[in-house]
């Protein structure tokens, strides 16, 4: 569950190579985190079958949609899932171990599940503007999409695209006051790494030209 802004930054970096319709790619890169809007669960929208895991299972997604990866929205969705795999399996484990978090000062805190989530989301809110500025994420054009793509992904019908756009508006307007875990110098290397990893996965699958 990397933040929406982190997902958009990864998608933008990937698109520097792919040269797709950026708004459609952005829409796909945000869609999985809008599960609640479609009355679905994160497990469904992120293709997770293990009840004890938060990591997307890419093979399940690819079994259903690999042949659709030439579609820009589907590709953005895939980029989101790959980024979340890296987030949970390689990045977040450096800060959160079950209910124990390690703060930026090195302090270890034992917290309830919801408290851990609250701290992570507070950090996201605090960093959003920094990440937007670093990657020059001008979202004004995105808020007024002239046309919307058709969704091939049954887990997220296009009827909810406008709700996703409204969600990013609300997230973008929030401002946090303090970061407990992450800083921009940690997030930027993650975004750069995730973009390269996504491009490698896309090349490996061979469904789009690099």
């Amino acid at each position: 569950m990397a933040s929406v802004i982190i997902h958009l930054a990864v998608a933008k970096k990937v698109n520097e190579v792919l040269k797709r319709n950026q708004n459609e790619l952005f829409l796909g890169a945000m869609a999985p985190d809008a599960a609640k809007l479609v009355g679905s669960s994160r497990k469904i929208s992120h293709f997770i079958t293990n009840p004890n895991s938060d990591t997307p299972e890419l093979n399940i997604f690819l079994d259903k949609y690999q042949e659709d990866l030439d579609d820009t929205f589907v590709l953005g969705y895939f980029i989101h899932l790959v980024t979340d795999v890296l987030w949970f399996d390689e990045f977040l484990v450096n800060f959160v171990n079950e209910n124990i978090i390690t703060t930026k000062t090195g302090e270890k805190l034992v917290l309830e599940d919801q408290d851990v989530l609250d701290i992570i989301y507070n950090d996201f809110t605090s960093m959003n503007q920094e990440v937007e500025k670093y990657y020059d994420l001008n979202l004004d054009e995105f808020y007024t999409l002239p046309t919307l793509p058709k969704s091939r992904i049954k887990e997220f019908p296009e009827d909810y695209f406008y709700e996703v756009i409204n969600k990013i508006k609300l997230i973008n307007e929030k401002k946090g006051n303090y970061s407990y875990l992450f800083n921009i110098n940690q997030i930027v290397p993650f975004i750069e790494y995730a973009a390269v990893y996504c491009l490698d996965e896309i090349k490996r699958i061979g469904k789009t030209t690099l």
Side-chain angles (χ1 to χ4, degrees), residues 5 8-10 12-13 16 130-138 184 187-192:
I5 300 300
L8 294 183
V10 173
K12 182 176 181 180
K13 288 294 295 182
E16 289 175 1
E130 289 185 84
V131 175
E132 284 183 52
K133 183 177 180 180
Y134 189 94
Y135 286 98
D136 192 23
L137 288 171
N138 184 354
I184 191 70
I187 293 298
V188 166
F190 172 78
I191 290 170
E192 300 290 323

Side-chain angles (χ1 to χ4, degrees), residues 17-72:
V17 176
L18 299 184
K19 310 296 184 185
R20 296 292 190 90
N21 180 301
Q22 184 159 283
N23 286 339
E24 290 187 16
L25 196 71
F26 277 7
L27 200 57
M30 291 190 301
D33 281 345
K36 290 181 180 179
L37 297 177
V38 300
S40 183
S41 72
R42 185 180 181 279
K43 297 287 187 185
I44 293 174
S45 67
H46 286 71
F47 298 84
I48 302 168
T49 59
N50 184 346
N52 300 313
S53 174
D54 290 310
T55 304
E57 297 171 46
L58 298 179
N59 61 313
I60 297 177
F61 176 84
L62 290 173
D63 283 346
K64 294 187 71 172
Y65 298 113
Q66 180 169 331
E67 295 305 313
D68 296 312
L69 282 176
D70 285 329
D71 179 276
T72 301

Side-chain angles (χ1 to χ4, degrees), residues 1-8 10 29-30 33 42 46 54 80 82-88 91-92 120-121 124 128 182 187 190-191 194:
M1 64 171 185
S3 75
V4 170
I5 300 300
I6 291 173
H7 281 296
L8 294 183
V10 173
M30 291 190 301
D33 281 345
R42 185 180 181 279
H46 286 71
D54 290 310
H80 178 113
V82 173
T83 301
D84 268 359
V85 169
L86 301 177
W87 179 265
F88 284 108
F91 184 78
L92 193 60
I120 291 172
Y121 283 123
F124 288 159
N128 279 347
F182 318 128
I187 293 298
F190 172 78
I191 290 170

